[in-house]
Amino acid sequence: MAKILGIGTATLDIINTVEYYPTEDEERRALSQRRSVGGNCPNTLTVLQQLGHKCAFAGIVADDPDGQFIAQQLKLEGIKVNNCRVAKGKTPTSYITLSRATGTRTIVHYRTLPEFSFADFAKIKLSAFDWLHFEGRNITETLRMLTFVREKLPSLPWSVEIEKPRANIENLFEGATILLFSRHYAAYHGYAEAQTFLQELHSSLPHTEKVCAWGKEGAYALGDGGEIKHAPAFFPPQVVDTLGAGDTFNAGFLDARLRNHSLSESLALACQLAGRKCGQQGFKDLG
Ligand code: ADP
Ligand code: FRU
């Protein structure tokens, strides 16, 4: 069990389940609707907390009713929110269409809220944590956070999620113990397969564990040994909800590595957990 601090963005997810994904300009009635806390980091922490870790979230929470809902829900999950900063503004909101036919999730995201800054981060008592997990965003401020950790607490390990291609996101690679890449990021940079992508990163980052989830094809990783590892996806009886599959995969992988499973075992455990998640609504009962 580790004390984990996650730094990122919390969203309100408004999830409409529809029988089939609509065509443009169509009017369609949803089968059901739910509201839930979202955001890659909160989702990953929600799963890590269920897996037995003590998690805390650091991010901005808006001073509106949705912001209060987010803070309350995270607290109910057992996730600490005392390092969050409350700011004036509107809660970032994702409008999500979940197709019952295919399990796909289509996200339209709206945000105007400022991001968690280095000044906010510098107030946190970092020595209380065993692991830091960063969303790869807000690059200038996040880089200042990483530099600060490297200087002040050189033995505190961290992971960074590299999901969306953003200008200068590569500045966040150095010094991470684990980098969690998305297929989207690799594809954006012209890679048709994860193996070549990871191999090309290896020479500049030989001691960082590099992981890349690849949807239904499972996931790949490359660690110190320089050997590519692969685990196939785990297919549930029915794909119900793929929202946050990648976030669940990341939680499963971090949990497995924190428990000292090998790189191959960790990939397999992460794929199993993400697959189980795809077979159910939301993130309940993944522990
Ligand atoms: P994201 O949620 O970021 O789009 P991915 O699609 O890369 O993430 O999926 C992350 C992991 O979740 C994959 O490595 C795989 O193990 C699992 N996964 C994703 N989609 C499915 C699916 N349809 N069936 C089973 N497992 C899946
Ligand atoms: C899923 C998710 C949602 C959120 C969106 C933000 O991975 O974190 O919960 O609305 O992505 O990009």
Side-chain angles (χ1 to χ4, degrees), residues 105 163 183 213-216 218-219 233-236 239 242 244-247 249 270-271 274-275 278:
R105 88 294 181 263
E163 192 205 34
R183 178 182 192 154
W214 212 259
K216 289 182 199 163
F234 169 82
F235 295 105
V239 175
T242 59
D247 308 333
F249 172 89
C271 284
C278 292

Side-chain angles (χ1 to χ4, degrees), residues 17-28:
T17 300
V18 291
E19 206 161 349
Y20 295 97
Y21 187 76
T23 54
E24 190 171 345
D25 207 27
E26 186 185 331
E27 185 177 328
R28 180 171 287 268

Side-chain angles (χ1 to χ4, degrees), residues 183-213:
R183 178 182 192 154
H184 177 52
Y185 178 85
Y188 178 87
H189 288 284
Y191 293 92
E193 49 173 45
Q195 296 93 311
T196 355
F197 168 65
L198 295 175
Q199 263 150 357
E200 289 193 14
L201 278 172
H202 193 61
S203 53
S204 54
L205 296 160
H207 305 302
T208 297
E209 235 157 63
K210 301 156 287 287
V211 186
C212 190

Side-chain angles (χ1 to χ4, degrees), residues 11 13 37-40 43 94 96 107 109 163-164 243-244 247:
T11 64
D13 287 357
V37 177
N40 295 7
N43 290 343
S94 291
I96 298 164
I107 307 176
H109 185 64
E163 192 205 34
K164 296 187 181 67
L243 180 65
D247 308 333

Side-chain angles (χ1 to χ4, degrees), residues 222-245:
L222 185 50
D224 253 350
E227 201 186 317
I228 292 274
K229 308 285 182 189
H230 171 248
F234 169 82
F235 295 105
Q238 199 194 340
V239 175
V240 173
D241 171 11
T242 59
L243 180 65

